[in-house]
Amino acid sequence: MQPAIASASQGQYINLNADDRFVPTERLHAAYIHYPQSHNPSAPSFVRFEDEGLELGIVASEVPEIARAVSSMLSRSLEDAKNSNGGHLPSEVVERVQLEIISPYGVANLWGTYGHRFVLSREVDAQRSEIVATILVARRKGTIFFFTGRYNNLRHSTIDQDVDFLQPASNDPEQRWFAQFAFPGPPDFKPGAYHHIANFVVGKEQRGQGLSRFLLRALVDKYARDHIVSQGAGIEHSQFLLCGRGFWQIGDPPWLARMQKLGFYLRWGAESFFLEQDWAPLPRIFEAGQQVTNLAYNRSFGLPARYSDAQPPDLSRPHLLARIPEVIRLSQDPRAKLQYFQTMFEFV
Ligand SMILES: CC(C)(COP(=O)(O)OP(=O)(O)OC[C@H]1O[C@@H](n2cnc3c(N)ncnc32)[C@H](O)[C@@H]1OP(=O)(O)O)[C@@H](O)C(=O)NCCC(=O)NCCS
């Protein structure tokens, strides 16, 4: 076995190599994680879907071929989010994420160690498999993969102790890092009992074939404990199960429509905003050569209109209804720019 990607010099680069999605099947099978306490310890450590010719499993993300495959899939997908490619993010923001978070090194070492890295694959020939989709699911329900660019893998229960909310942005102590953001208060930031998800991507060559729906269905059917129990179904693999109630996502604005189509719902009142400061201007975004104002950007994602027009949501879900007036106010503040929506998905 090759050594894991253990140092940044081995794998911190922007990986746009499409061919990296092909991995030796033997390496993929060796990377699946066996959970000794599984209820079915002698079962294979992955699930095969014979009819579709697909395979799903949790892999060790530090295996170099796997880290490179996942990194290439995520990085190529994120290229499309560049403002210069018609997307919603400044190029420098995309490149920072590609280098620091979803490089092969980042995939292997940053969030991966706190999450279950699922990969969906198909065999292409006797030796090789193609990774066609991936998702990272937090192992613990309390894990928050990222909290502004300065915190990774936080525990929700200790957020107040672990985060310095008064820290300076740089040298001037009056210029506070957290003055640049508006988000739900720490106790409400994440709904309890839901797994944070990130890196939910279908390969660019594989889109529009229903694979994202398939992956979500397969995760629920084969890995969500509550669903398996409610169906009286057996456990078909010797991997971890997901014991939370569902998924929780901090999603970029354009993702909301996609996620809603896939069965996720908006967590009302949980939007995050950037707050522009004189000492911290936001990178500009352009559309058809015109700079987009924060207000126009917010409006293009349905804010504040969605909260005046829409029906109230299911009150049994962990929405933040009391924060909606604040979200409406922020979305009409010329210095506030929508950063994220939160979305959720129920297993049962
Ligand atoms: C979003 C994504 C995962 C969908 O994967 P996919 O396998 O192509 O989707 P499916 O073929 O299963 O289609 C699922 C539904 O989503 C819709 N959909 C797919 N891409 C969409 C998009 N860009 N905008 C709106 N809806 C979209 C499809 O129309 C389909 O709905 P329908 O069946 O009602 O027509 C994939 O496009 C992707 O990886 N995008 C880039 C990364 C991303 O945005 N990830 C989500 C946030 S982490």
Side-chain angles (χ1 to χ4, degrees):
M1 183 146 157
Q2 283 181 42
I5 297 183
S7 76
S9 62
Q10 280 180 281
Q12 193 163 41
Y13 60 94
I14 294 179
N15 184 11
L16 301 177
N17 183 357
D19 286 347
D20 276 356
R21 70 184 190 276
F22 298 106
V23 297
T25 303
E26 202 184 327
R27 297 286 291 156
L28 174 64
H29 284 184
Y32 286 129
I33 293 175
H34 171 77
Y35 178 51
Q37 282 87 48
S38 162
H39 292 294
N40 195 355
S42 60
S45 46
F46 59 90
V47 181
R48 215 192 280 279
F49 300 88
E50 298 295 349
D51 292 349
E52 295 80 7
L54 291 165
E55 201 173 281
L56 174 65
I58 303 170
V59 291
S61 56
E62 67 274 17
V63 173
E65 290 90 339
I66 303 291
R68 283 196 289 270
V70 169
S71 167
S72 122
M73 178 169 292
L74 301 179
S75 302
R76 292 179 67 226
S77 177
L78 197 60
E79 271 298 281
D80 297 340
K82 281 185 177 172
N83 195 205
S84 53
N85 293 337
H88 66 293
L89 293 175
S91 298
E92 59 273 23
V93 171
V94 168
E95 284 162 16
R96 183 187 71 78
V97 173
Q98 287 171 324
L99 196 60
E100 293 177 9
I101 306 205
I102 56 175
S103 64
Y105 176 77
V107 167
N109 295 288
L110 186 60
W111 301 342
T113 47
Y114 287 78
H116 297 306
R117 166 64 67 190
F118 286 91
V119 296
L120 185 69
S121 65
R122 64 164 65 105
E123 267 179 31
V124 282
D125 56 34
Q127 275 85 40
R128 292 179 314 152
S129 293
E130 178 182 13
I131 308 290
V132 296
T134 185
I135 186 172
L136 185 69
V137 181
R139 287 162 191 256
R140 305 175 70 133
K141 298 181 291 275
T143 294
I144 300 172
F145 286 128
F146 60 93
F147 189 65
T148 76
R150 289 198 176 169
Y151 292 89
N152 292 295
N153 306 315
L154 274 178
R155 282 181 78 164
H156 189 207
S157 57
T158 56
I159 192 167
D160 275 326
Q161 297 94 287
D162 296 339
V163 175
D164 175 4
F165 285 99
L166 301 178
Q167 67 187 278
S170 53
N171 296 331
D172 183 342
E174 297 301 313
Q175 297 175 359
R176 303 256 169 94
W177 173 254
F178 282 99
Q180 301 173 92
F181 310 95
F183 38 68
D188 296 327
F189 185 74
K190 179 186 180 300
Y194 291 79
H195 299 266
H196 195 181
I197 60 159
N199 305 159
F200 175 44
V201 167
V202 169
K204 294 188 73 164
E205 288 76 10
Q206 313 292 343
R207 300 217 176 135
Q209 302 171 30
L211 283 176
S212 63
R213 274 186 206 290
F214 180 88
L215 174 56
L216 286 169
R217 194 65 251 155
L219 288 169
V220 172
D221 285 346
K222 310 294 183 191
Y223 286 88
R225 185 194 60 191
D226 288 358
H227 175 84
I228 294 170
V229 169
S230 75
Q231 298 297 301
I235 296 163
E236 296 174 29
H237 56 81
S238 57
Q239 297 203 293
F240 298 93
L241 293 181
L242 304 174
C243 58
R245 290 180 52 187
F247 294 136
W248 171 69
Q249 181 192 41
I250 307 173
D252 279 14
W255 297 352
L256 176 62
R258 299 169 206 176
M259 301 316 283
Q260 285 177 319
K261 276 203 167 173
L262 293 171
F264 283 68
Y265 60 89
L266 176 69
R267 185 180 185 214
W268 281 41
E271 290 80 356
S272 301
F273 290 82
F274 290 112
L275 292 182
E276 212 158 359
Q277 302 290 345
D278 294 337
W279 45 268
L282 291 173
R284 305 291 104 193
I285 291 281
F286 294 89
E287 232 168 59
Q290 293 283 318
Q291 188 180 317
V292 182
T293 64
N294 293 338
L295 293 181
Y297 186 85
N298 298 341
R299 266 198 307 275
S300 72
F301 294 106
L303 286 174
R306 71 170 65 249
Y307 287 125
S308 44
D309 299 348
Q311 294 295 313
D314 180 347
L315 293 177
S316 68
R317 304 296 186 211
H319 296 290
L320 298 180
L321 300 186
R323 189 168 174 268
I324 290 174
E326 174 68 354
V327 170
I328 293 173
R329 188 192 67 72
L330 284 162
S331 64
Q332 294 171 316
D333 176 344
R335 309 198 76 159
K337 179 179 179 187
L338 180 64
Q339 183 186 20
Y340 297 122
F341 287 111
Q342 292 191 6
T343 69
M344 301 182 52
F345 180 91
E346 304 288 330
F347 289 158
V348 179

